[in-house]
Amino acid sequence: MSSLIVGAALFVCSAYVGFGICDLYKRRSAFFDALIEYLDSLERGISYAKTPLPKLTEDFAADKKGELFALLRKFAGDIRAGQKTEFKSPIFSAYERRRVVEMLDSLGKYDTDTQLTELRRYRALFAPTREIAVKKYSTTGKLAAKLGVLVGIAVMLALA
């Protein structure tokens, strides 16, 4: 009876780790998908609508969940307060965090044509990272979830 309880606990733990790893890859993929979408939205908003940056950012991030949307809401508030936005998240490399902060810091500091060029440059910079994140989620992330469950089942069978 106690081996059944230990086996069940180990199954839950290994499945939890597997799904946690899967969630990490999913969050990275969603972040970079939304970042590319945000850059496209900014390009349209700046070129055609001539909407102010804080308004564009708040409209884009309104009622959406995720790390990028929380960062963008903070960014819009920081623009109004005249502060520099900080970005700290353990699921991104230091290089990725620096590039995101650099991109946010550059917004609104150039004339329209230069800003559009900068947005295209950052889109080109983040597009390969997005592709890698999506690919890793679809392969490594989903595999980690399945392996977590399978390892849990194997442990339960070994203890039975």
Side-chain angles (χ1 to χ4, degrees):
M1 182 66 170
S2 65
S3 66
L4 183 64
I5 293 172
V6 170
L10 290 174
F11 169 77
V12 169
C13 289
S14 67
Y16 181 76
V17 168
F19 283 110
I21 293 170
C22 180
D23 183 59
L24 176 126
Y25 284 108
K26 184 178 181 180
R27 286 173 37 204
R28 281 183 54 81
S29 174
F31 181 90
F32 287 112
D33 275 341
L35 183 61
I36 296 295
E37 188 180 328
Y38 174 63
L39 290 171
D40 292 342
S41 170
L42 281 179
E43 191 172 340
R44 284 188 305 274
I46 291 171
S47 330
Y48 304 113
K50 308 278 189 214
T51 309
L53 181 62
K55 176 81 171 125
L56 277 172
T57 302
E58 287 172 344
D59 289 347
F60 180 78
D63 301 329
K64 294 179 184 171
K65 293 183 181 181
E67 289 196 52
L68 178 69
F69 303 112
L71 176 64
L72 291 177
R73 283 189 286 276
K74 181 181 181 316
F75 172 64
D78 288 347
I79 290 173
R80 289 194 169 94
Q83 298 174 344
K84 185 174 176 167
T85 302
E86 295 291 323
F87 175 49
K88 296 179 181 176
S89 178
I91 66 171
F92 301 102
S93 69
Y95 173 79
E96 292 166 341
R97 289 191 306 267
R98 278 193 310 272
R99 295 295 79 84
V100 169
V101 168
E102 174 187 291
M103 185 235 2
L104 292 174
D105 193 40
S106 75
L107 294 176
K109 298 210 170 134
Y110 302 107
D111 62 287
T112 303
D113 292 333
T114 308
Q115 186 68 69
L116 292 172
T117 303
E118 283 293 301
L119 289 174
R120 288 184 202 108
R121 183 176 75 85
Y122 281 111
R123 188 181 197 296
L125 176 75
F126 288 120
T129 306
R130 177 191 164 266
E131 294 300 320
I132 292 169
V134 168
K135 185 177 179 181
K136 285 203 174 217
Y137 168 62
S138 67
T139 57
T140 308
K142 291 181 179 179
L143 181 65
K146 292 173 187 173
L147 282 176
V149 171
L150 288 175
V151 166
I153 291 171
V155 168
M156 280 183 57
L157 290 175
L159 291 176

